[in-house]
Amino acid sequence: MQISMTVNGDEITREAEPRVLLVHFIREILGLTGTHWGCDTSNCGTCVVLMDGLPVKSCTVLAAMADGHDIRTVEGLATGGVLDPVQQGFMEEHGLQCGFCTPGMMLTARALLDRNPHPDDDQIREAISGQICRCTGYATIVRSVQWAAEHPAGAAATGEEVNA
Amino acid sequence: MQIPAPFDYARASSVDDALALLERHGPESLIVAGGHSLLPMMKLRLARPEWLIDINDLFELDFIVRDGDRLRVGAMTRHTTLFESDEVRRLFPIITDAERTIADPVVRNRGTIGGSLCQADPAEDLSTVCIVLGAEAVIRGTAGERVVSMAEFHVGPYETSVAHNELLVEVRLPIRPRSGSAYEKVERRVGDWAVAAAGASVSLAEDGTIDHVAIGLTAIGLDGTVTEAEAMLHGKAPSEELFVEAGRLAALACDPLADQRGAIDYKRHLADELTRRVLRRASSRAAEAQEG
């Protein structure tokens, strides 16, 4: 079947079987491998993308169900070569070790900050509670999201040059 | 890689369209709402529909509306919407309590109340919540609508009275004056199914005695409610002594299985302790309730 959606601002149409999961549509058909594919059982959350602005586990959404919807992946976080404050925060506060959970963590963080620009640590922990960091680096992930909350304009606000 | 077996996909544009699609494609077609129970089952080939009928465009079923002495909740209302609703929190805090523990925030963005009830998993929290609240389910077929109690709705594990060619469209929750409710679950980790959970709803008479009470248990082998404890509490003023006795009766009434989530004794202990806690919290909420 033909499936059309907006991905990171681009309208795309591709042919795919109805049984193709959104995570595989994004990775294999669109070639956007920033979205990671992990447990397959909607537990780990590394496959999180934003669907109409809300985090969803793309291993448990059919590409067909996303037809007509707006999808944002980790590739859509930076704009014009400038990192999103969340990405910058993960750099500043060492929010990633192996990096496997990072795309999903960053998208959930982006959606949280869009709704609640000043979350406390508990609210951040609750927001990412459906996502697993295999390095158990949760403390630095929370600090990274707090960095982004404190720097809504990202690196521009720090006055430092960013090597994006 | 877990991928469902091949199927054909259709997207319904209205309730009537969904019913027509079910008729056309017959018993091998299934409805998908949020998909967070059905798609995992399809990946494991526990479900293998020939047609999948997607009802995510049925925004007409995504509503929370107060209608006199009842709250009407559309079947496509997402868990997140229920969790964040101030009206739900005020009228039925048991729902907010339960939603906080259902899966995780990302899954709650997709999952729906209708999907949860129709899945009818024995460890499903909203089934217990709806039984405790005395909810009614509105089921629509091509011949019209019928309204059933949760006792009629819930046939058994993974089985409801919604026929293949019907659709659950709405849940109706009766609003009682001077009422409070609460839910508490023990789970091994965020997003896991309950080891055990309990829910209670308490309505007080004007003199402060218990006018109506319902106690439900999740995942530990009790259909319906803990009627022995309810009968014991009825007409009495809430007290810690009564809650302790109700907990004892709940532990006797349940019939848990030993599994990787715990031994039978442990689960009975949870039935006892959680029943006390939810009765305590529901009663204090009922005492604080300003209106029905």
Side-chain angles (χ1 to χ4, degrees):
Chain A
M1 65 181 287
Q2 272 211 337
I3 297 173
S4 301
M5 64 184 83
T6 305
V7 178
N8 301 326
D10 295 330
E11 287 181 23
I12 59 100
T13 299
R14 295 288 190 280
E15 193 69 33
E17 274 187 272
R19 64 174 171 160
V20 171
L21 299 161
L22 181 58
V23 62
H24 301 309
F25 185 86
I26 290 170
R27 286 177 56 85
E28 288 152 32
I29 297 181
L30 300 181
L32 296 173
T33 52
T35 301
H36 290 169
W37 163 58
C39 71
D40 244 342
T41 56
S42 66
N43 279 290
C44 80
T46 193
C47 67
V48 164
V49 299
L50 303 188
M51 185 162 162
D52 303 327
L54 291 177
V56 302
K57 294 183 174 176
S58 62
C59 76
T60 311
V61 176
L62 296 170
M65 295 170 87
D67 182 88
H69 290 269
D70 182 67
I71 300 297
R72 193 173 178 197
T73 70
V74 66
E75 289 90 346
L77 274 179
T79 45
V82 179
L83 293 182
D84 186 280
V86 168
Q87 294 173 301
Q88 185 69 17
F90 271 69
M91 279 173 59
E92 299 288 340
E93 299 292 342
H94 307 283
L96 61 147
Q97 293 176 53
C98 84
F100 192 69
C101 71
T102 311
M105 290 287 184
M106 292 200 299
L107 286 161
T108 298
R110 179 73 269 149
L112 170 69
L113 294 176
D114 286 346
R115 293 191 63 193
N116 177 5
H118 302 291
D120 61 31
D121 284 3
D122 284 347
Q123 288 169 324
I124 296 170
R125 287 180 180 278
E126 169 67 16
I128 62 168
S129 61
Q131 292 163 254
I132 295 170
C133 169
R134 301 186 299 186
C135 313
T136 69
Y138 297 102
T140 52
I141 290 171
V142 172
R143 282 207 289 275
S144 302
V145 180
Q146 284 296 13
W147 189 97
E150 288 157 15
H151 301 82
T158 68
E160 293 165 22
E161 201 170 312
V162 177
N163 188 15
Chain B
M1 189 186 289
Q2 293 182 11
I3 301 286
F7 57 86
D8 285 313
Y9 172 89
R11 202 184 275 200
S13 57
S14 67
V15 171
D16 287 342
D17 187 35
L19 294 173
L21 286 165
L22 285 169
E23 287 285 347
R24 189 180 318 152
H25 298 302
E28 297 307 318
S29 58
L30 284 179
I31 293 284
V32 64
H36 276 61
S37 299
L38 181 56
L39 293 179
M41 288 177 75
M42 288 170 63
K43 290 179 183 183
L44 297 170
R45 305 297 196 272
L46 295 172
R48 210 168 168 167
E50 288 176 6
W51 278 86
L52 204 58
I53 299 167
D54 182 355
I55 58 168
N56 280 281
D57 281 355
L58 302 195
F59 301 107
E60 64 202 274
L61 298 184
D62 183 3
F63 60 84
I64 299 173
V65 181
R66 174 138 186 197
D67 180 6
D69 61 357
R70 63 191 180 186
L71 192 72
R72 299 172 51 204
V73 179
M76 280 303 291
T77 305
R78 311 271 174 191
H79 291 299
T80 297
T81 310
L82 278 167
F83 181 48
E84 294 179 351
S85 162
D86 289 335
E87 184 151 50
V88 165
R89 186 187 311 268
R90 193 170 54 81
L91 292 172
F92 304 110
I94 184 175
I95 296 178
T96 317
D97 288 351
E99 285 292 355
R100 192 188 306 282
T101 71
I102 291 175
D104 63 64
V106 179
V107 170
R108 292 199 294 263
N109 283 335
R110 291 295 293 168
T112 64
I113 182 172
S116 290
L117 294 179
C118 289
Q119 177 71 11
D121 191 293
E124 210 289 305
D125 303 287
L126 287 187
S127 299
T128 303
V129 166
C130 285
I131 288 168
V132 164
L133 291 177
E136 290 177 326
V138 183
I139 299 166
R140 201 178 299 171
T142 44
E145 235 171 52
R146 61 194 179 96
V147 180
V148 301
S149 70
M150 285 313 294
E152 291 169 80
F153 178 86
H154 201 80
V155 174
Y158 309 104
E159 198 177 355
T160 72
S161 62
V162 181
H164 170 264
N165 57 357
E166 291 181 317
L167 195 65
L168 172 66
V169 292
E170 182 181 323
V171 179
R172 292 179 181 161
L173 304 165
I175 299 168
R176 297 187 177 92
R178 294 177 297 278
S179 292
S181 56
Y183 193 79
E184 189 162 332
K185 168 157 109 178
V186 170
E187 55 185 355
R188 298 180 302 180
R189 56 177 166 77
V190 168
D192 194 18
W193 296 104
V195 178
S201 172
V202 172
S203 302
L204 300 175
E206 284 186 28
D207 66 0
T209 57
I210 295 174
D211 186 39
H212 180 270
V213 56
I215 303 162
L217 303 170
T218 305
I220 41 179
L222 178 77
D223 288 331
T225 60
V226 188
T227 48
E228 303 85 351
E230 292 164 6
M232 185 273 297
L233 291 163
H234 189 260
K236 301 198 180 99
S239 73
E240 187 60 28
E241 213 171 39
L242 291 181
F243 302 157
V244 169
E245 176 61 7
R248 193 185 68 83
L249 292 171
L252 287 175
C254 69
D255 187 17
L257 295 174
D259 58 17
Q260 77 275 21
R261 290 187 176 82
I264 289 172
D265 286 351
Y266 173 56
K267 293 185 181 184
R268 281 196 196 279
H269 163 74
L270 289 179
D272 181 350
E273 178 61 31
L274 294 176
T275 295
R276 296 186 206 189
R277 290 186 195 177
V278 291
L279 279 172
R280 222 176 270 144
R281 193 142 29 101
S283 299
S284 101
R285 285 171 171 170
E288 289 163 15
Q290 293 299 305
E291 59 160 324

